């Protein structure tokens, strides 16, 4: 079995924000199709007076899917509070934040910071998707890596409009649910911006190497999500992560923070629907594993 490239997982956690930095003209018009039925994974955490539903989302999809059905629909309909990675509506101000943080502050061109072999490969990757070599010269390596991952997806029709987060948010607005966000836009983008230069360059080099397979690999992740195959999704997204800084910053530490909040939330009565990127609810160091380490049990519902 072919695994997704190590760094592809990283865009899934920030695609909702990063897509706002892409020109809208890159999308290809899609013919309307009937939404396909899916059975994404759902977990339940509960005590005598509190219920917390854990639902893994896919931030961008290539077509509409019928996710709002069965246990997932019942769980969301029963909730008084929606918990998300960033506040509902935050993507509206994300573009300026991303572009500000991604701007180089050392006075150097991105390409000038790359060894010759990496620069040649990087320029070739940009050319392969019709992007000028100088396009991201004024940006940090993490931003160039995200754009190289997302541009082919947007060109292929992937969109946040068909992604699950915006649809969950719309239903929450209709019901006027209270919204708690684990993180702010600044914090989430800052996770990338504060990565060491070495890690950022390694990230970029691996994305360049993986570029020809981006669409195929992400399609595999989406297929696993649609069937609720959390184990396969974890294998595709997380288990091949070799960089300890990336794993700690983007997976382990965040999941641990979220699990601490969720454990504390059990002290307050009510029903909570948590909608976060599916990668956080799969594999080693998942939110469920962090909860279990703290003595809190989660049960798979779908």
């Amino acid at each position: 079995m072919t695994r997704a490239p190590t760094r592809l997982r990283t865009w899934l956690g920030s695609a909702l924000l990063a897509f706002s930095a892409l020109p809208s003209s890159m999308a290809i018009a899609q013919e309307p199709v009937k939404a396909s039925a899916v059975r994404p994974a759902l977990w339940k955490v509960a005590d005598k007076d509190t219920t917390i539903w854990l639902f893994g989302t896919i931030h961008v999809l290539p077509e509409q899917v019928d996710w709002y059905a069965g246990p997932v629909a019942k769980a969301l309909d029963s909730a008084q509070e929606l918990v998300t990675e960033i506040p509902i509506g935050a993507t509206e101000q994300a573009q300026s934040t991303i572009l500000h943080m991604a701007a180089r502050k050392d006075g150097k061109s991105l390409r000038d910071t790359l060894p010759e072999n990496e620069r040649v490969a990087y320029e070739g990757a940009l050319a392969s998707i019709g992007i000028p070599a100088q396009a991201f010269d004024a940006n940090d390596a993490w931003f160039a890596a995200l754009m190289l991952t997302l541009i082919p997806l947007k060109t292929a029709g992937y969109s946040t409009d068909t992604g699950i987060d915006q649809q969950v948010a719309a239903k929450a607005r209709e019901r006027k649910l209270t919204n708690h966000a684990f993180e702010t836009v600044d914090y989430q983008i800052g996770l990338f911006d504060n990565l060491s230069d070495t890690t950022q360059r390694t990230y970029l080099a691996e994305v360049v190497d993986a570029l020809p397979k981006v669409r195929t690999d992400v399609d595999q992740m989406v297929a696993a999500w649609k069937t609720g195959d959390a184990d396969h999704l974890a294998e595709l997204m997380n288990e091949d992560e070799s960089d300890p800084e990336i794993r700690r910053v983007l997976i382990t530490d965040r999941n641990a923070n979220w699990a601490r909040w969720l454990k504390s939330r059990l002290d307050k009565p009510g029903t909570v629907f948590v909608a976060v990127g599916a990668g956080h609810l799969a594999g080693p160091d998942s939110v469920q594993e962090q909860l279990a380490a703290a003595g809190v049990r989660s049960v798979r519902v779908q």
Side-chain angles (χ1 to χ4, degrees), residues 17-23 90-101 143 185:
L17 298 178
F19 252 61
S20 68
L22 294 173
T91 53
E92 296 171 4
Q93 54 97 10
Q95 182 175 9
S96 60
T97 300
I98 292 171
L99 295 179
H100 172 72
M101 287 195 178
F143 181 79
V185 170

Side-chain angles (χ1 to χ4, degrees), residues 35-40 55 61 63-69 72 164 222 225-228 302:
S36 59
V38 299
R39 287 183 58 82
F55 179 58
L61 285 170
E63 75 280 324
Q64 293 285 351
V65 296
D66 185 14
W67 63 274
Y68 185 66
V72 173
I164 304 304
V222 170
W225 173 84
K226 286 180 176 179
T227 59
Q302 174 171 287

Side-chain angles (χ1 to χ4, degrees), residues 15 48 50 56 59 126 131 158 201 208 239 274 284 288-289 299 301:
K48 64 180 183 294
T50 308
H59 300 319
L126 289 172
I131 304 298
Y158 273 78
R201 287 196 302 271
V208 166
E239 289 186 3
V274 178
Q288 298 95 310
E289 284 204 357
V299 177
V301 176

Side-chain angles (χ1 to χ4, degrees), residues 14-217:
S14 60
L16 195 62
L17 298 178
F19 252 61
S20 68
L22 294 173
S24 58
S25 60
M26 288 181 179
I28 294 178
Q30 302 291 307
E31 292 294 327
V33 296
K34 182 179 179 180
S36 59
V38 299
R39 287 183 58 82
L42 179 71
W43 290 264
K44 180 180 180 180
V45 176
D47 60 16
K48 64 180 183 294
D49 58 5
T50 308
T51 297
I52 299 175
W53 300 100
L54 302 176
F55 179 58
T57 67
I58 291 289
H59 300 319
V60 295
L61 285 170
E63 75 280 324
Q64 293 285 351
V65 296
D66 185 14
W67 63 274
Y68 185 66
V72 173
K74 291 178 181 178
L76 183 52
D77 288 346
S78 70
Q80 296 97 41
E81 180 178 4
L82 172 67
V83 177
T84 49
E85 292 187 33
I86 57 173
I88 290 177
T91 53
E92 296 171 4
Q93 54 97 10
Q95 182 175 9
S96 60
T97 300
I98 292 171
L99 295 179
H100 172 72
M101 287 195 178
R104 298 192 66 83
K105 300 169 182 64
D106 58 5
K108 300 178 182 178
S109 160
L110 170 58
R111 284 182 295 159
D112 288 343
T113 68
L114 303 177
E116 182 177 1
N117 62 323
E118 292 181 15
R119 178 181 56 77
V120 170
Y122 169 65
E123 291 176 345
L126 289 172
S128 73
I129 57 174
I131 304 298
Q134 70 274 16
F136 306 118
D137 277 356
N139 300 119
D140 292 329
W142 67 263
F143 181 79
L146 277 178
M147 292 300 102
L148 273 173
T149 306
L150 295 174
I151 287 171
L153 293 177
K154 186 157 188 177
T155 301
Y158 273 78
S159 170
T160 55
D161 293 337
T162 47
I164 304 304
D165 298 78
Q166 288 196 11
Q167 297 180 51
V168 170
K171 292 186 179 299
R173 288 192 187 97
E174 290 173 4
R175 295 189 49 225
K176 297 181 172 57
L177 296 186
T178 300
N179 176 221
H180 171 82
F182 285 131
E183 300 166 351
T184 64
V185 170
D186 283 20
Y187 176 83
Q188 193 171 103
I189 299 304
L191 294 174
F192 287 90
D193 198 42
N194 291 324
L195 292 171
S196 67
D197 290 342
T198 298
T199 295
Q200 288 192 39
R201 287 196 302 271
T202 301
Y203 174 15
L204 177 57
E206 293 192 3
V207 167
V208 166
D209 184 59
L211 188 59
K213 295 171 67 270
V214 165
R215 173 68 189 274
T216 300
D217 290 323

Side-chain angles (χ1 to χ4, degrees), residues 244-263:
E245 182 182 7
I246 287 278
R247 185 168 192 88
R248 176 182 59 79
V249 170
L250 296 178
I251 302 176
T252 307
D253 287 356
R254 296 171 74 199
N255 290 352
N257 290 338
W258 299 358
R260 279 192 290 271
W261 186 91
L262 292 168
K263 181 180 180 181

